Amino acid sequence: MTLTPTAAMLIALLLAGWVIAAAWAWQAARRRERKADAGQRQARRLAKMVDESPALPLLVRADGKIEAPQRLANWLGLERVPQFLTELDGGRIDGGGGGLTREQLEQLSEAVRRTQKTAAPFRMVVTPRGSNRSLALRGHLADPAVSPGGAALVWVFDFSDSESELVQLRAETARARSDFAALVGLIEAAPMPMWFRAPDGALQLVNHAYVSAVAGKDARAVVADGVELVESVDGLTARQVALQAAAKQLPIERIVTATIDGARRALRVSDLPLGEEGIAGYAVDIEDMEEQARAFRAFRDAQRAMLDQLSAGVAQFDAKRQLTFANQPFQRLFALKPAVMLDPPPFERLLDLARDAGRVPEARDFPAWRRERTAWFLASAAQEEAWVLADGTHLRVVAQPLPDGGMLLIAEDRTEQLRLSAVRDTLLRTRTATFDSLFESVAVFAPDGRLQLWNRRFAADWGLDESHLEGHPRIDSLLERIARRLAKPVKARAVGDVVRAATLDRKQTGGRALLADGRTLEFAGVPLPDGNGLLTVLDITDSQKAEDALRERNSALEEADAMKTRFLANMSYEFRTPLTSIGGFAELLEAGLGGDLSDQGKEYVGAILTSVERLGEQIESVLDLSQSEAGMLPLARDEIELFPLVTKLVEDRAQRIRDGGLSLDLRGDQGVGRISGDRRRLARAIGHVIDNAITATPQGGRILVELSGRKGHAQIVISDNGPGMDAATLARALDGLKLTADGKTVERRQGLGLPLARQLVEAHGGTLTLHSEPGQGTAAIIELP
């Protein structure tokens, strides 16, 4: 078929249009493909950015479905992102072990629903199960372009590292707060007052010690009232001084006094500027230190006053080698004038002054000699020298370096000591000659038992060889030789014990030793002041024989005295029987049983009864005295009230006192006390003393009887204003003895009252003492337990 040109043209045009349309479509498809590729690349970049960002999105749709990257599932400990929000607990995905806890999921679900309904944003923090990761959730309503229909977009932040830093910061903050609290507690518990001032000087903080020191109610009240611890000094208040420290930016320390607890105390107050923050201050109580300083000064002054009393010269130099003290002996030894001590010289100048006064040894090169002595300050040990002066004075000089760099110089005048040493040598030789001429044996032993000195008699008495003694043997060696001379060799040990007691125990002991030849030696050990012991030995053979004879004679005398005592006791008993009969018949005659008596007869009978009574008393006294001297006096034990007893004795003698024209004053009370004893014999003892006072007191005289009670004993004082007794008479008054006319023998006194009274009082455990002077009367003092 043949196409017409027109048709062919049409077909060509149609084909051309198709080609053009295909080309345009291909170009459009290419553009859409490129645009899609760019969109995909951009989506991948955004997805990558989301994956790499610190916050991950969680889109929660209105139906509960969620969209989130896999990274969020990893954060939550899940294998994959669940489909619904309620599955974030991991229960439906991996059976637990990851995801949120039920409480966290419920809280998140409630927050999402509230955001979807009200568009209210929310924030919360969750921690997945089994993980230390901390996630912060920030939710808000999603843009409709992101997800229409009221979806909620939740951004999830992993702030685990920030949380660790936050925990660390919290720990550091807590530690700083604890340290600050401890510091505040330390300041509050400090025993010294402490305070802090604002930059204007006003009190801002004070501790408890400050409040106590100012007797404030509490710290707040003290700060509010501005109560200052220290008063104004020189017109400056404590606040002004603190402002001066702040202005100078230098601490100010001063010593002031303040009243604390009612007492003035010395305080060391310090104000410390703390830049622009304020001024801190504290006060240290140095009253004890000041007291110690005062005590030290007093001790130093007393020590220096004591050093002035020494015979040795003492001078002290400080670290600058300046003279600080020299006692009076030192000034005299070195001829220092008082004007020198007003401006104490240094050590070198002192030596120059001493040289000018001729008080140092002559030296060929004096400057070199002075330098050598100046080096004493640097010596490590004490230096000692002997100085011989031109006038013959011998000085012992000791230089003692002090730890502070100073020196103590001691100078002792030994001139007299050397002279005494020569005299001592002479005395030693004299002593040796004296020892040899003694009648006793003498030996001196050292503390180690070695023989030091002895005389010739010592060797002769013990039969020792002089050659052996010259070797100064020990006591053990001597005892071996002495034992050979004794009747019983074992007794030699007693001699060694005496020597050891004298040298080591410093005790004086003694003993006796019987020699084999029949002689008796008495030895004694005496400790000597120098630590040695002196052994003295005396041959008492003859005196021992005389002593044995005297002892036999004494035994015979004691037996004779006992026979006398028994004789007196028997005779007293024998006298009492007829005396009782005489008294009885006389009483019958007085009663008229033998007929009426004339007045003269009655007088005779009365005299008989009086004599019988007196004789009976004398017999009782003799019997009691003899029994007491023999130690056989029987005593009853009764409870005796002393004051009624003495009152009764005085009343019984009232007529006799009136007849003698005397006055008796009885003093005491019922509280004198009571004793346990024999009432009859105690009454006789006190009565004898009262009778003696009545007898010794002349007409018109006065007698005082005074009773007093003391701790543990009672005292009865019976005094008179009679003629008194001299010392010799007083010494024999209580013994019942007196010298015979020829003065060669003694005999018993006529009166037995006082001797018997003493025996009876002592039998009751008491004492009777007499005090008397001629013309001053006599006082008898009885003390009873």
Side-chain angles (χ1 to χ4, degrees), residues 331-551:
Q331 298 178 35
R332 289 193 298 268
L333 286 176
F334 289 92
L336 299 180
K337 299 179 180 180
V340 175
M341 299 308 300
L342 296 178
D343 185 16
F347 180 71
E348 294 85 351
R349 177 58 181 160
L350 177 65
L351 294 181
D352 292 339
L353 294 174
R355 183 194 183 194
D356 296 339
R359 307 309 295 171
V360 295
E362 293 293 338
R364 179 176 300 179
D365 188 354
F366 180 76
W369 182 88
R370 184 179 56 192
R371 286 193 298 271
E372 291 175 0
R373 274 61 194 172
T374 305
W376 286 348
F377 283 89
L378 305 178
S380 59
Q383 306 294 316
E384 182 175 345
E385 285 187 353
W387 291 1
V388 181
L389 308 185
D391 60 357
T393 303
H394 292 260
L395 296 181
R396 173 177 175 263
V397 178
V398 178
Q400 176 63 56
L402 300 178
D404 61 354
M407 184 177 69
L408 191 67
L409 189 64
I410 303 173
E412 180 185 4
D413 189 349
R414 303 188 64 184
T415 307
E416 185 67 16
Q417 184 177 356
L418 293 176
R419 187 186 67 81
L420 292 176
S421 179
V423 174
R424 175 180 174 273
D425 293 339
T426 303
L427 291 177
L428 288 177
R429 289 192 293 269
T430 305
R431 183 189 64 180
T432 302
T434 303
F435 275 10
D436 289 339
S437 62
L438 289 177
F439 179 73
E440 294 178 320
S441 299
V442 176
V444 177
F445 290 87
D448 60 355
R450 187 177 296 277
L451 180 65
Q452 298 291 327
L453 298 172
W454 68 95
N455 62 354
R456 297 173 183 175
R457 183 87 181 176
F458 181 79
D461 283 346
W462 293 109
L464 301 175
D465 296 333
E466 284 287 346
S467 58
H468 179 69
L469 297 181
E470 289 174 357
H472 299 281
R474 295 182 181 274
I475 184 64
D476 297 336
S477 176
L478 288 178
L479 292 180
E480 294 178 1
R481 295 175 178 266
I482 289 174
R484 304 170 188 170
R485 304 289 182 177
L486 298 179
K488 295 182 179 180
V490 71
K491 294 294 184 179
R493 186 181 303 172
V495 180
D497 294 340
V498 168
V499 173
R500 279 188 288 270
T503 55
L504 301 180
D505 301 335
R506 313 299 298 164
K507 294 180 180 180
Q508 182 173 344
T509 57
R512 291 185 179 182
L514 181 61
L515 301 184
D517 57 7
R519 290 182 297 139
T520 301
L521 300 182
E522 184 176 45
F523 54 88
V526 180
L528 298 178
D530 59 356
N532 295 331
L534 175 66
L535 177 64
T536 62
V537 183
L538 181 62
D539 189 342
I540 60 169
T541 305
D542 296 335
S543 60
Q544 183 68 28
K545 294 178 180 179
E547 181 182 350
D548 293 340
L550 290 175
R551 187 177 291 109

Side-chain angles (χ1 to χ4, degrees), residues 195-243:
W195 61 89
F196 179 77
R197 297 180 185 273
D200 60 354
L203 287 175
Q204 189 169 348
L205 293 173
V206 296
N207 67 346
H208 178 72
Y210 188 103
V211 176
S212 300
V214 300
K217 181 179 180 181
D218 52 32
R220 184 175 299 176
V222 170
V223 171
D225 297 339
V227 181
E228 294 289 351
L229 174 66
V230 181
E231 304 102 348
S232 299
V233 179
D234 298 333
L236 294 177
T237 64
R239 181 173 182 175
Q240 292 172 335
V241 175
L243 291 176

Side-chain angles (χ1 to χ4, degrees), residues 83 106 167 296 345 374 406 487 539 640 705:
Q83 187 176 1
E106 291 177 355
V167 170
F296 172 75
T374 305
D539 189 342
I640 305 171
V705 180

